[in-house]
Amino acid sequence: MGLLLLLVLSILALCCSTTSVPQEVPRDSPFFLRGCNDADMLAMAAFVLQDINNNLKEGYVLSLNRVSAVQEHKQDGLGSLFYFTLDVLSTTCHVLSKKPWRECKERPMHEQIYGQCKALYYVNMPLRILYLPAYNCTLRPVSRSKIQNMCPDCPIPANLSDPKVLETATETLERYNRDSESGKYSLVKVTHASSQWMFGLSYFVEYLIKESPCTEATICGYQPTDSRPVGICRGSLGRRFEVKLVNINCDFFKSQTLIPGKRKFAVYRRNKKPAQSPSKAVLNGSVQYLPELDDAESQEVDPEEAFPVHLDLTTNPQGEPLDVDFLFRAPLFKKLIVLPFPKEEQPSTECPGRAYFSNPIILPPSESHREFRDYVMIDRR
């Protein structure tokens, strides 16, 4: 808890000492442009993405590739609402692991899922409040044709309903159960699968597991999803001549049980739902997965259609009120003003920011990407 408090106070301190002066958007806009490479905006974006990951129930933890755009709307003495556009990548950590995205490894290029998230983030520095009212993410897998041109021998995605995928999952789990000294486990759900021709066709799978009451590995097969998964396994099944090759490794999720009464500051309540929600905008979050784009589509499809990421909480140019009374200790009536999400074409010389991974295959297409610039690889450490 001490380390978490120190991290929170650090971001609040960074927000007080911006590295660049906010630029007001022309035409009497209420927004202020912020620098996508500024330390305070990067620190805030890390919190935004962690809150999104904490809210997800399925899929894999998303990591930050770059801040694509960020604008600030000041709230008349109540802090500011920040409008973030983040380019994100999929990691190998399942969201049920609750691991911070900085501790997760990005997936290899041939199985990467990439995209964008738009998010509203409320910051009140004097009261130490960080709150995520709404977000929307659009994700899609990398183009298979581009990957095959770059790496013809890389594994290719497999259909999760393929009988060979289920066979790989059950056989690798049986192997794990035979060697396990801590208990027996049953299959909950296959979450990822691919295949590759080696000495023959080999399959690679990832799947969730739960504790099983069975004592014999041979009867620990598929079970309905009526209990909480306890871990994720990664297994492979193939043959080399007449020898069956089975590999399996499982990671177990840590307990996320919280001790009541230990959340001291309002900043830790940023995802708490109010008892009564008068506004539909409170905690409005969604993630959509789209099919891959092939080379022809990526060149012809309009960028907004290729990645239709929308966060339209209102179309009223004057804004709509958002009740946030529950974030404050006293029984006060507090409302924020939520404006339509800013348009991408608004100019900013400091955005998009530098990408951690600058390969254009995993950067969402946009007008600025049509003439791709070389982005500087920066070390997260």
Side-chain angles (χ1 to χ4, degrees):
M1 181 61 72
L3 291 176
L4 179 58
L5 176 58
L6 180 61
L7 183 59
V8 169
L9 294 178
S10 297
I11 184 177
L12 295 175
L14 281 170
C15 292
C16 295
S17 56
T18 18
T19 57
S20 65
V21 177
Q23 308 170 53
E24 188 169 0
V25 180
R27 299 184 300 275
D28 299 322
S29 170
F31 292 106
F32 291 84
L33 297 175
R34 303 302 301 269
C36 289
N37 291 323
D38 288 353
D40 57 341
M41 293 297 101
L42 290 172
M44 196 180 299
F47 270 82
V48 172
L49 192 54
Q50 190 58 50
D51 281 355
I52 291 175
N53 284 321
N54 290 342
N55 201 49
L56 299 180
K57 301 298 186 292
E58 294 184 343
Y60 291 84
V61 170
L62 301 175
S63 68
L64 179 64
N65 192 22
R66 72 176 178 183
V67 177
S68 185
V70 56
Q71 300 189 42
E72 178 183 4
H73 180 211
K74 296 183 179 180
Q75 296 289 314
D76 294 331
L78 284 179
S80 296
L81 264 179
F82 290 85
Y83 294 69
F84 276 94
T85 301
L86 308 176
D87 292 345
V88 298
L89 298 172
S90 180
T91 70
T92 58
C93 298
H94 197 274
V95 296
L96 295 181
S97 70
K98 298 300 180 183
K99 287 186 177 181
W101 63 266
R102 290 185 182 277
E103 297 180 7
C104 299
K105 293 182 179 180
E106 285 77 14
R107 288 189 171 275
M109 185 71 70
H110 64 268
E111 58 182 44
Q112 184 57 252
I113 296 175
Y114 69 109
Q116 277 191 342
C117 293
K118 293 184 183 294
L120 285 181
Y121 207 57
Y122 173 50
V123 177
N124 188 317
M125 292 182 291
L127 296 180
R128 302 176 183 175
I129 295 176
L130 305 176
Y131 176 61
L132 177 72
Y135 68 90
N136 179 38
C137 300
T138 297
L139 308 172
R140 68 192 326 153
V142 293
S143 168
R144 192 177 309 181
S145 59
K146 290 181 179 179
I147 293 299
Q148 288 180 338
N149 289 335
M150 181 181 69
C151 178
D153 297 327
C154 284
I156 60 174
N159 192 322
L160 298 186
S161 61
D162 186 335
K164 290 292 185 181
V165 169
L166 183 58
E167 176 187 346
T168 301
T170 54
E171 286 203 29
T172 54
L173 184 55
E174 287 176 5
R175 170 68 63 86
Y176 186 85
N177 279 329
R178 283 198 299 269
D179 298 337
S180 174
E181 298 179 355
S182 59
K184 305 301 179 183
Y185 304 92
S186 55
L187 175 64
V188 174
K189 179 183 180 180
V190 177
T191 57
H192 186 271
S194 61
S195 63
Q196 182 181 28
W197 186 267
M198 300 174 74
F199 300 98
L201 192 58
S202 297
Y203 284 85
F204 307 87
V205 295
E206 298 176 20
Y207 51 88
L208 298 173
I209 59 172
K210 67 176 183 178
E211 293 179 344
S212 175
C214 63
T215 57
E216 296 294 332
T218 55
I219 61 174
C220 291
Y222 179 81
Q223 299 289 329
T225 58
D226 55 355
S227 63
R228 185 178 180 84
V230 297
I232 187 168
C233 295
R234 297 171 177 84
S236 64
L237 178 64
R239 287 184 177 275
R240 184 174 184 178
F241 306 113
E242 299 300 321
V243 179
K244 183 179 291 188
L245 303 176
V246 180
N247 290 295
I248 178 67
N249 178 58
C250 296
D251 295 321
F252 291 88
F253 305 146
K254 294 181 180 179
S255 174
Q256 302 299 319
T257 304
L258 296 176
I259 301 175
K262 291 297 183 181
R263 294 186 175 184
K264 183 177 180 181
F265 296 104
V267 69
Y268 297 129
R269 300 166 55 193
R270 54 185 179 270
N271 279 333
K272 183 180 178 182
K273 293 184 180 180
Q276 294 182 345
S277 175
S279 171
K280 64 181 180 180
V282 174
L283 284 176
N284 179 7
S286 64
V287 177
Q288 58 179 330
Y289 290 86
L290 303 178
E292 66 180 83
L293 284 172
D294 63 29
D295 290 337
E297 289 176 325
S298 62
Q299 295 173 4
E300 297 176 3
V301 173
D302 183 87
E304 291 188 2
E305 295 180 2
F307 271 88
V309 192
H310 300 295
L311 189 56
D312 298 328
L313 300 183
T314 178
T315 58
N316 184 354
Q318 302 302 316
E320 303 256 349
L322 174 67
D323 292 331
V324 290
D325 302 344
F326 62 97
L327 290 174
F328 299 85
R329 295 180 180 179
L332 302 176
F333 296 98
K334 303 292 185 182
K335 294 183 184 295
L336 305 178
I337 299 301
V338 179
L339 298 172
F341 208 92
K343 297 295 184 180
E344 294 291 340
E345 61 265 18
Q346 290 177 334
S348 174
T349 58
E350 300 182 14
C351 291
R354 292 186 296 268
Y356 293 115
F357 298 95
S358 58
N359 193 312
I361 293 178
I362 54 174
L363 287 175
S366 69
E367 294 294 336
S368 60
H369 301 155
R370 290 180 177 177
E371 296 181 0
F372 179 74
R373 299 176 300 172
D374 291 329
Y375 290 94
V376 179
M377 293 285 286
I378 60 178
D379 188 353
R380 294 189 182 206
R381 297 183 180 178

